[in-house]
Amino acid sequence: MNNIETIIPIEIIELEDKHNLHPIIEAKINGNPIRLVIDTGASHTCIDKKEVKSLLKNKNNISNDIVMGIGNKKMRNTIVNIQELQLGEVIIKDYPVVALKISHINKMLKMLGLKPIDGLLGSDLLHKYNAVIDYKNSCLTLNTNTL
């Protein structure tokens, strides 16, 4: 992989008040546009189960792993290999993500007049690409120099 730095614009959305902010980026799965919340508290990148239904048809792309939740409560989740995840200029091939039901989040966003999301960009990729979240300039920088 070439050494690149990619800068991705961030949309900051307010939930309920100015103290409840969420940064969102535009990305692509297999060429299709998606919206991801940047979630430094999520250990894994997650995609809405609805978004990965076509991937679930290929049983070779699925595994059931146990992922620890808050308070060490064990939760069984479906892991799906995404053929191609694009974050800015960074293209990631055959990457495992957690298929997560997020319809309750999108219901809340709809009630607030906001666009739905398709998943969470988790610490797995933020760490791998030495991500820098720049709130002042509303951008996310990813580096492949560390790979």
Side-chain angles (χ1 to χ4, degrees), residues 17 27 30 34 46 52 56 86 106 125 129-130 138-139:
D17 62 43
N30 302 333
I34 60 169
C46 303
V52 297
L56 294 176
Q86 184 173 350
N106 284 328
L125 289 173
Y129 291 101
N130 196 26
S138 296
C139 63

Side-chain angles (χ1 to χ4, degrees), residues 97-109:
V97 299
V98 175
L100 187 68
K101 184 178 177 184
I102 60 171
S103 57
H104 61 288
I105 296 170
N106 284 328
K107 282 181 185 175
M108 181 196 57
L109 291 172

Side-chain angles (χ1 to χ4, degrees), residues 62-127:
I62 303 170
S63 69
N64 284 310
D65 289 347
I66 294 176
V67 178
M68 300 304 282
I70 294 175
N72 290 331
K73 180 180 178 186
K74 291 182 182 179
M75 302 183 316
R76 187 162 299 279
N77 285 308
T78 302
I79 308 295
V80 178
N81 282 328
I82 300 293
Q83 287 178 341
E84 183 178 284
L85 175 61
Q86 184 173 350
L87 306 169
E89 299 299 317
V90 175
I91 296 175
I92 306 157
K93 301 277 188 178
D94 298 315
Y95 194 78
V97 299
V98 175
L100 187 68
K101 184 178 177 184
I102 60 171
S103 57
H104 61 288
I105 296 170
N106 284 328
K107 282 181 185 175
M108 181 196 57
L109 291 172
K110 185 177 181 180
M111 286 175 32
L112 296 170
L114 299 169
K115 294 183 208 170
I117 63 166
D118 301 298
L120 309 173
L121 179 61
S123 289
D124 54 342
L125 289 173
L126 295 170
H127 181 262

Side-chain angles (χ1 to χ4, degrees), residues 29 32-34 47-55 118:
I29 290 181
N32 298 311
I34 60 169
I47 304 297
D48 187 8
K49 280 187 176 181
K50 187 175 86 176
E51 283 296 313
V52 297
K53 277 198 180 205
S54 63
L55 298 173
D118 301 298

Side-chain angles (χ1 to χ4, degrees), residues 1-8 87-92 121 123-134 139-147:
M1 187 177 271
N2 296 332
N3 290 343
I4 59 171
E5 177 179 276
T6 188
I7 298 172
I8 305 166
L87 306 169
E89 299 299 317
V90 175
I91 296 175
I92 306 157
L121 179 61
S123 289
D124 54 342
L125 289 173
L126 295 170
H127 181 262
K128 180 177 182 175
Y129 291 101
N130 196 26
V132 176
I133 303 169
D134 182 345
C139 63
L140 172 70
T141 303
L142 301 178
N143 295 283
T144 60
N145 301 345
T146 58
L147 298 179

